[in-house]
Amino acid sequence: MVAAGALRTVPLAGELTSSLISRAADRYGLPAAGVLRLWTCRNYPARHVGGGVRADSEAVLNAAGRGVLAELCGIQPAVLARALPAFTVDDPRISSGREAALAQVRWRSAGAVAGDTAFACRSCTARRTGQTVRAVRYLPRWQRVCARHGRWLLDADADQPLEHLDLRGVPEVVAAQRRWTGVARRAVRAGAEPGQVFAVAHAVVARWWEEALHWEREEIWPRRLHQVAGGNAGTDFERWRIVSRDAVTFPEVVAVADALLDPAMTELVWRDSGAGRPRPLPADGAFCRRLGERVGRGWLGPLSAVDAGGPLLTWMGAVIRRRRGQGGPPGWRDDPWRLPREQQPATMAGQLRVLAAEQQSGGSGTRWRAAVSAEHRFRIEQMIGEAREQLEPLRGVHSGTTAEVARTLLEHLSHSAALLDQALVDTATAAVAAGVAVQEVSAWSRLPVRELAELMSQGPDQD
């Protein structure tokens, strides 16, 4: 082995200590496990369900261990301390006691040490270090665009092979990264933490993303999704929706953050609430309508205004309470930038774990989302929603002439019944195709097996 320090390994700004150790091993032509023998390991790095070591596993060193890393890389400890966020993190379990003089390492989750992590751009890594190898950095979600090479840098904690998405076909995502700098400055001037503002905006847009499959007028996100998926997400649509969400929605997140910081927009919230005369927020409120326009979707306002329990209405409620409580001590319920844990979006890693679990079951034990295509699920939900809309006007309809009431009831009920009948057939077809026994489906739907089979053979009603 070449003497430690003979080959210099330059750290990247914000790099994980474990990432630098791996790159140092590569510099010496050794596996990472061979170099890790320089330290006494007190535990093991976290692994994915499939067995691979998680790329966001972080190495926390004691004082003696930091000295070993500095010597291995040929870099002064002070330089490493400036570059590596976890380099000076202290763990009492290895920094004190009789063995503190030994070079020791303890593995921890990077998220618990210094925040979110992402894969570094390999081209940038090669330009700065001379190594075309994988590197992992601490990167907040608002700094994931490599504008130089047109890439979106993906989370490092997920069990999937991609390190980045190609943004060359979606320049608006790169442009949004530049706009975020101005939004962050506006947040500071407004006395808000930019990271908290981004988190609220990200939660709002992620909520929209989950509903977007039901938006008939949505055209922007499908185009971007297929673009970053290489032109067509194909049969792997569900996985691409998970992997690409943050990149595809980034322009809208920045636009929403900018809007939530705009005093004119908060004034619209106040007016929608009735100002000095409190009233329920209307479905056609000026704030939500204007917010939809600011994200390029003039039709979105009413949809976002009725999302009870969502982060947008929570933010609006905090703005209203703060305005009405002027003069009193502020509380956490009046902080518009406090995002409740239950409203925080699911991470890519978490969603991929759920998807993998759904796909592992076979036959009738398959998960519905894995066995039934998104288009088929959307069609069923759309028909149920339309049937619900037909029934809604029937509340309190029992006043008027007999002919008027009967006509209204029968027209709406017959339309709803037709929609529900077709939804039943589509659901039965999906269940049988997924491996559920037709006899079980027949019992659940209360239709004879022969009649059910005949209905399913006719295919979906295109009318």
Side-chain angles (χ1 to χ4, degrees):
M1 175 178 174
V2 179
L7 301 177
R8 196 165 182 261
T9 307
V10 180
L12 295 169
E15 188 173 10
L16 271 65
T17 302
S18 58
S19 174
L20 179 61
I21 292 173
S22 294
R23 289 199 300 109
D26 178 78
R27 181 77 78 183
Y28 287 93
L30 296 170
V35 170
L36 283 170
R37 295 195 184 108
L38 296 171
W39 294 271
T40 299
C41 295
R42 293 304 181 186
N43 61 347
Y44 299 96
R47 293 179 176 272
H48 294 296
V49 175
V53 175
R54 286 177 45 161
D56 69 326
S57 294
E58 179 60 297
V60 175
L61 309 174
N62 64 355
R66 294 169 199 145
V68 169
L69 181 59
E71 183 179 356
L72 175 70
C73 297
I75 303 292
Q76 290 295 320
V79 175
L80 295 180
R82 287 194 297 269
L84 309 179
F87 187 73
T88 57
V89 171
D90 190 41
D91 189 324
R93 287 168 290 189
I94 58 176
S95 63
S96 59
R98 290 178 298 177
E99 297 183 338
L102 297 175
Q104 298 182 70
V105 61
R106 189 168 186 86
W107 293 96
R108 293 175 58 184
S109 168
V113 175
D116 294 333
T117 60
F119 294 106
C121 172
R122 288 209 184 203
S123 298
C124 290
T125 300
R127 184 172 61 87
R128 295 170 186 167
T129 70
Q131 291 179 278
T132 55
V133 295
R134 188 185 79 175
V136 183
R137 299 172 61 198
Y138 288 100
L139 277 179
R141 296 191 184 280
W142 55 86
Q143 292 181 356
R144 295 298 178 84
V145 175
C146 173
R148 178 186 293 271
H149 300 104
R151 293 172 176 174
W152 178 271
L153 308 177
L154 290 168
D155 293 350
D157 61 343
D159 188 7
Q160 59 88 33
L162 298 177
E163 295 181 15
H164 71 267
L165 299 176
D166 190 342
L167 301 179
R168 287 175 294 182
V170 284
E172 62 269 30
V173 178
V174 180
Q177 179 75 86
R178 292 190 288 266
R179 287 201 307 275
W180 168 252
T181 303
V183 176
R185 286 197 295 264
R186 172 181 281 188
V188 173
R189 290 196 299 268
E193 169 61 38
Q196 291 183 313
V197 173
F198 183 90
V200 171
H202 182 249
V204 170
V205 177
R207 183 90 165 196
W208 291 347
W209 176 257
E210 292 305 312
E211 300 295 329
L213 284 175
H214 311 295
W215 295 348
E216 295 181 359
R217 301 175 67 179
E218 177 57 45
E219 299 177 352
I220 300 173
W221 284 344
R223 177 187 62 80
R224 285 191 203 146
L225 187 153
H226 289 296
Q227 192 68 45
V228 300
N232 191 340
T235 58
D236 213 7
F237 181 74
E238 284 290 343
R239 188 182 71 86
W240 277 112
R241 278 200 93 238
I242 294 171
V243 173
S244 69
R245 181 195 66 185
D246 290 351
V248 168
T249 61
F250 188 58
E252 286 73 21
V253 173
V254 175
V256 169
D258 190 39
L260 300 186
L261 289 166
D262 188 345
M265 293 293 284
T266 56
E267 183 64 26
L268 291 180
V269 174
W270 177 241
R271 292 179 185 176
D272 287 342
S273 72
R277 297 181 177 181
R279 67 182 182 189
L281 290 169
D284 60 346
F287 169 78
C288 287
R289 185 169 63 252
R290 179 63 183 135
L291 183 62
E293 293 170 356
R294 291 182 70 150
V295 296
R297 297 163 175 82
W299 44 267
L300 180 56
L303 295 177
S304 59
V306 296
D307 184 18
L312 183 60
L313 290 188
T314 298
W315 179 87
M316 295 169 70
V319 168
I320 295 166
R321 287 192 297 273
R322 173 176 284 189
R323 183 75 172 265
R324 289 177 180 160
Q326 285 180 341
W332 65 264
R333 294 184 69 251
D334 303 327
D335 181 5
W337 309 118
R338 180 188 177 276
L339 183 65
R341 179 178 294 275
E342 63 271 15
Q343 293 182 354
Q344 296 174 10
T347 64
M348 178 173 71
Q351 292 181 88
L352 287 175
R353 284 195 295 270
V354 171
L355 182 63
E358 291 176 343
Q359 293 175 338
Q360 284 177 356
S361 300
S364 61
T366 55
R367 305 289 292 190
W368 178 258
R369 287 172 58 88
V372 183
S373 70
E375 292 80 3
H376 200 144
R377 297 198 312 269
F378 170 69
R379 175 179 168 81
I380 294 171
E381 292 180 12
Q382 186 181 40
M383 286 186 289
I384 294 172
E386 290 180 8
R388 186 184 298 115
E389 291 176 4
Q390 288 293 319
L391 295 173
E392 189 64 30
L394 300 185
R395 293 183 179 181
V397 77
H398 299 281
S399 59
T401 67
T402 301
E404 290 172 344
V405 173
R407 177 181 177 181
T408 301
L409 285 170
L410 290 172
E411 286 182 347
H412 285 264
L413 288 171
S414 63
H415 192 183
S416 297
L419 289 166
L420 291 175
D421 284 344
Q422 189 58 48
L424 182 149
V425 174
D426 282 11
T427 302
T429 302
V432 171
V436 181
V438 68
Q439 290 79 8
E440 289 185 288
V441 175
S442 170
W444 298 334
S445 62
R446 299 182 181 179
L447 289 173
V449 172
R450 182 174 296 179
E451 181 180 347
L452 179 62
E454 183 178 346
L455 289 171
M456 291 190 297
S457 67
Q458 294 174 3
D461 183 357
Q462 297 303 322
D463 294 335

